[in-house]
Structures are given as structure tokens and as C-alpha cells.
Amino acid sequence: MKIVILGADQIGSSLAEYLAREGNEITVVDISASRLSDLTARLDIRTVEGKVSHPSVLRKAGCDEADLLIAVTDSDELNMLACEVANTLFNASTKIARVRDNDYLAHDELFSERALGIELTICPEQLVTDSIYRIFEFPGTLQVLDFAKGKVQLVAVKAIYGGSLVGKELSTLREHLPSVNTRVAAIYRRGKGITPHSDTVIETDDEVFFIASRKDIRAVMKELRRAEQGYRRVIIAGGGNIGERLAKKLQGDHHVKLIEIDAARAQTLAERLTETVVLNGSATRKNLLVEENIDDCDIYCALTNDDEDNIMSSLLAKRLGAQKVLTLINDPAYVELIQGDRIDIAISPQQVTISSILKHVRRGDVAKVHSLRRGAAEAIEAVAHGDADSSQVVGRRIEDIPLPAETMIGAIARGDEVILDHSDVVIETDDHLILFLLDKRRIQEIERLLQVKASYF
């Protein structure tokens, strides 16, 4: 695809890197020459220096030929204006804008074809907040992803010594949970992906991805690790957009303390978050954490904009007795180094944001995409179309579909029904297939597999 990305900050540069690796033709526009120079030093992409909303700059960037325009600068207004200019002057195909202010987001009519013509608005801060909140709903998980409008979830959990299934073959899962429908989609052992089979043995510290309906998640988790109590006592470090949004969702049902280093911002947060204890201070200061009873904390969430501060305060909190630590990390190199050691859960804003955009990049009728394992793996919800003559999947049993290596169909959503035990199930048109790819490089093979012959139309 020809993709124009407006903005070369953390989100824009991460998007450019991810999409360029897939062979897309990427052009990045930014007013900062140094940001663009840094990108071209690392990536084989085209850059244009200038204001992202200027018609001459958009023309130079190739907006008149672009398949996708993604506006992700720090300014909501600039992103919306750039999309409107691209829509009006160049009839840009698909436009995605980063919009964070709820004053705009509350009015869907602003983004209709009659107005700005923006197909998708993304708010990375809200996406990250929602991702963290799902972890609070299921204590002990590393990640919880929704598919089929929430009817089925893909859950990542670390297998702990003492779990009923640890040290046993996967085939025994059905014996332990005869009334629960679930499938293990993938296992990561010491960073390497393993395609699961019935005789695969779960080991301590394995990161297990399983698919189940929402009501069955806790039952499956108990087979892999000891049950955990809910995160009732929460300390949040960082009162930015994500910290404030998370505190707002949690307060009332949780005992929440929020630490903010800026005095003026702390005062504002205290006025807005009436059920949260707001503290002015540095989360990297040992005395403050001790004074606020960090050893009685169920989960400590480091959500500042500084990776180093987040990592250091998380390590300090863990050392001082916090039961679990969750850390926001922008640099993917840090995530590889620390998750699973002394930091329990690492959240990457870039990965969460990229996932929300990928459905517009993938070819075919794709309902949802989640980028996993720092972009190495992917989970896709794709809709099957055609008939037995025009499709390679419709009218065929799952076990007869020529899936690429290290790829599996984990579940099928058919209307209100979710089918998990399904090797002999025949795919029907309009079925939603939940696929897991251990190797994201197989994505083009999946796209070709799901294509419908032109004769069908």
C-alpha cells in the first residue's frame, strides 16, 4: 500500500517502522528535519519536511495517490485539518486521525462524509487505558483482547508452578474442564513461539495465549496459575492523560492513589478526581512510596511519559513490597529486557495504537487486528466470503484448509454462536474467523487464502 503518515513523533515513527517492514510504500511528513533525518537513517522510506496541513506539502507527499492517510501529530486540530484538506483537494481514499479531546470525540457527525470525511479516529491514551482496564477485570492476565464484538477473548497469562495444567499435556485440559470450551492458540517459552499440540507440555513461566468466552476465562486461568484476588488497592504514578483516565475508571470500585510531580497538575487532578487520593511528589522517591504504604498495594501502575522513570519507580515499588507492577514503556527495546523479570506487565502504547490501525492495512474483510509480541505475532478476525467454487475456505472443513505454517484458526464466530472445538467444522460464508499467526510474516499468505475469485462477483 501507499501510506502517508503525518507526524514523526513516537506514534508516527513506530507506525512507519512497523508498516515499512511489511513492504508498504511509506511517506512521513513532519515539520522537524531532525525527526525525519533520524527516520531515514533507520528506514527505507520517503520523507517530506513541512506543515502537514499545507496543500503543497500534502501534494508533494503523494496524497493524491495514497491508499491510506494517517494523521498522528500532537495536535487534534492539525490532524483534523490535514484530513479535511486531503479529502477536499485530493479525494484521499482512507483517512485516520489521532483525536484526543473528548469535546471533539463526543460529536460523531464531525467525522462523517459530509464533514471531515475521517473514516477512523484514534485516541492512543484511551486505547491504552482500555487495555489496562481489561487486565484489572481479570487479575493475573498479561493481556486481554476482544473479538467478535466481545463474545470471545484472546488472553495471555503466565503459567505458574502449582497450576493444575503445569507439567501436563494440553490434552488433559479437557479432562480438567469438561464443561468449558477453550483452545490454546500459542505458547511462548523463553521468548520463542511454540505451536501447541495435544501432547505439548506446559512448563512453568510459559506465556500461554488461550481463546475462551468471557465467562470461562477465570476457569481456564486457574488451570495455569493460582487464583488471584482483585486489584483493590492501586497506586498510579503519573497524572497525564492515561493516568487520569485510568484513575477515573477505577475510582469508586477501587482504592486509588495517584502521584503527580507537577504541583499545578496535581491540584487540577484533585479537583477532577473526587474519589482518588492525589499526591504531589516524585514516584521515584523511596520515602513517598513507603509513606503511602506501597507494601500494601495490590498493583502499582507507572504511567508517566518517561520510560526510565517508569522502569525505575516500578523496580523500586516491587522491591518495597508492591504485589504487582504494571509499567508503560514506549521504547520496544526496553520491553524485551524487563517484562517477566521484576516487572510483571509491560504496556506498549505504540503496539496498542498500531493494532487499531492495522484493520485498514490488511487486505480483505477484516473486522479486527491485534499486534502481539512487539509485532512478531498477530491475531486477526477476518470474515469469510464467497462459496465453495470461489473461496479457498468457504465450504471446507478447517482441517482441510491449507493454512500457512505456525498459523491456526482459534475460533469461529457464526452469528451469536462461538465455535471453539471445530477441526471438522465446515466454514460458511460470513463466518468470522479468529486466526493466530505466530509468524506475522505469513500475513500475505493469509490475505491470499481469504481472497475471493473475481468470478464470484
Side-chain angles (χ1 to χ4, degrees):
M1 296 181 74
K2 292 184 178 180
I3 302 172
V4 176
I5 299 172
L6 308 180
D9 64 358
Q10 287 180 334
I11 296 293
S13 59
S14 295
L15 275 171
E17 184 172 357
Y18 191 96
L19 297 174
R21 287 204 308 262
E22 297 187 347
N24 295 292
E25 188 177 320
I26 307 297
T27 301
V28 178
V29 182
D30 199 278
I31 199 170
S32 168
S34 61
R35 283 181 180 175
L36 297 178
S37 177
D38 179 61
L39 277 176
T40 53
R42 295 186 290 112
L43 307 172
D44 182 18
I45 63 172
R46 181 168 169 260
T47 61
V48 175
E49 184 183 346
K51 293 186 176 180
V52 301
S53 60
H54 279 192
S56 59
V57 174
L58 292 174
R59 186 183 301 279
K60 187 177 180 182
C63 277
D64 52 338
E65 297 179 344
D67 300 302
L68 181 61
L69 175 74
I70 309 173
V72 286
T73 75
D74 282 335
S75 167
D76 290 356
E77 292 76 15
L78 200 54
N79 292 336
M80 292 188 291
L81 177 59
C83 286
E84 184 177 21
V85 172
N87 186 55
T88 303
L89 298 182
F90 308 112
N91 194 28
S93 179
T94 301
K95 298 161 292 299
I96 298 173
R98 178 185 185 181
V99 181
R100 295 175 289 180
D101 196 318
N102 286 324
D103 240 17
Y104 294 126
L105 295 173
H107 299 279
D108 291 338
E109 61 272 20
L110 280 175
F111 310 103
S112 66
E113 286 188 21
R114 294 187 300 105
L116 299 175
I118 297 173
E119 281 72 23
L120 173 69
T121 58
I122 57 170
C123 176
E125 292 84 356
Q126 188 60 52
L127 292 171
V128 172
T129 302
D130 293 341
S131 179
I132 295 172
Y133 187 73
R134 284 194 292 271
I135 292 172
F136 272 79
E137 290 184 290
F138 298 100
T141 57
L142 300 173
Q143 201 170 18
V144 181
L145 305 172
D146 284 336
F147 290 98
K149 297 180 179 178
K151 291 193 286 287
V152 62
Q153 276 79 31
L154 177 66
V155 180
V157 62
K158 189 174 183 179
I160 300 296
Y161 178 78
S164 301
L165 193 61
V166 178
K168 298 184 177 66
E169 294 183 352
L170 281 176
S171 58
T172 62
L173 182 58
R174 180 55 57 88
E175 300 171 13
H176 285 258
L177 300 170
S179 61
V180 171
N181 223 350
T182 186
R183 284 178 67 86
V184 173
I187 298 168
Y188 283 87
R189 183 172 296 160
R190 293 180 285 278
K192 183 179 179 181
I194 299 171
T195 302
H197 300 286
S198 60
D199 59 352
T200 301
V201 176
I202 299 292
E203 296 182 5
T204 298
D205 291 335
D206 279 356
E207 189 174 326
V208 181
F209 283 83
F210 68 86
I211 297 174
S213 63
R214 188 181 189 85
K215 64 180 177 61
D216 292 328
I217 289 176
R218 287 184 174 84
V220 180
M221 286 180 62
K222 286 180 182 178
E223 295 299 304
L224 297 167
R225 57 185 297 124
R226 295 180 296 274
E228 292 190 20
Q229 299 299 316
Y231 305 135
R232 303 299 300 173
R233 296 174 294 277
V234 183
I235 294 180
I236 298 172
N241 288 323
I242 296 174
E244 179 182 4
R245 289 171 188 264
L246 182 62
K248 191 172 184 179
K249 286 181 76 78
L250 295 176
Q251 66 178 6
D253 296 326
H254 301 76
H255 185 275
V256 182
K257 294 180 180 179
L258 188 152
I259 302 171
E260 168 56 41
I261 195 168
D262 182 83
R265 176 64 176 167
Q267 180 61 41
T268 300
L269 291 170
E271 295 168 0
R272 292 178 180 172
L273 303 171
T274 56
E275 297 178 79
T276 295
V277 176
V278 179
L279 307 162
N280 177 217
S282 171
T284 59
R285 190 165 64 87
K286 176 181 177 180
N287 289 346
L288 176 60
L289 295 179
V290 172
E291 289 169 5
E292 298 307 323
N293 302 315
I294 189 68
D295 58 335
D296 197 36
C297 172
D298 295 319
I299 186 166
Y300 174 86
C301 303
L303 307 178
T304 76
N305 292 322
D306 187 289
D307 283 359
E308 286 77 11
D309 278 354
N310 287 341
I311 292 170
M312 293 307 296
S313 71
S314 295
L315 294 176
L316 180 60
K318 191 76 171 181
R319 183 182 178 188
L320 294 174
Q323 295 299 308
K324 185 156 293 191
V325 295
L326 179 150
T327 311
L328 195 70
I329 301 176
N330 289 287
D331 191 330
Y334 287 156
V335 179
E336 291 286 353
L337 287 173
I338 63 173
Q339 177 165 297
D341 188 10
R342 283 171 290 178
I343 289 178
D344 301 293
I345 306 168
I347 302 289
S348 167
Q350 282 86 353
Q351 286 299 125
V352 175
T353 304
I354 287 168
S355 294
S356 69
I357 292 172
L358 282 177
K359 66 172 287 187
H360 294 274
V361 177
R362 298 287 171 252
R363 288 177 171 83
D365 189 354
V366 175
K368 188 163 284 190
V369 181
H370 289 290
S371 177
L372 306 167
R373 300 293 301 182
R374 275 69 75 191
E378 202 161 291
I380 303 173
E381 179 183 343
V383 185
H385 293 295
D387 53 29
D389 295 324
S390 60
S391 169
Q392 297 183 71
V393 296
V394 175
R396 289 169 172 75
R397 296 187 306 169
I398 286 182
E399 61 184 16
D400 296 330
I401 295 173
L403 290 170
E406 299 185 314
T407 302
M408 72 172 292
I409 297 176
I412 304 166
R414 180 176 295 166
D416 292 329
E417 182 185 10
V418 175
I419 305 169
L420 290 166
D421 189 12
H422 62 279
S423 61
D424 59 346
V425 170
V426 176
I427 301 295
E428 299 179 4
T429 191
D430 294 331
D431 278 355
H432 285 235
L433 312 180
I434 302 5
L435 299 110
F436 192 99
L437 289 74
L438 270 175
D439 185 353
K440 195 237 3 209
R441 291 174 296 182
R442 303 282 186 178
I443 188 65
Q444 291 182 349
E445 296 175 54
I446 289 294
E447 290 175 335
R448 288 193 292 270
L449 183 67
L450 295 170
Q451 284 178 350
V452 179
K453 293 179 182 177
S455 58
Y456 177 74
F457 302 100

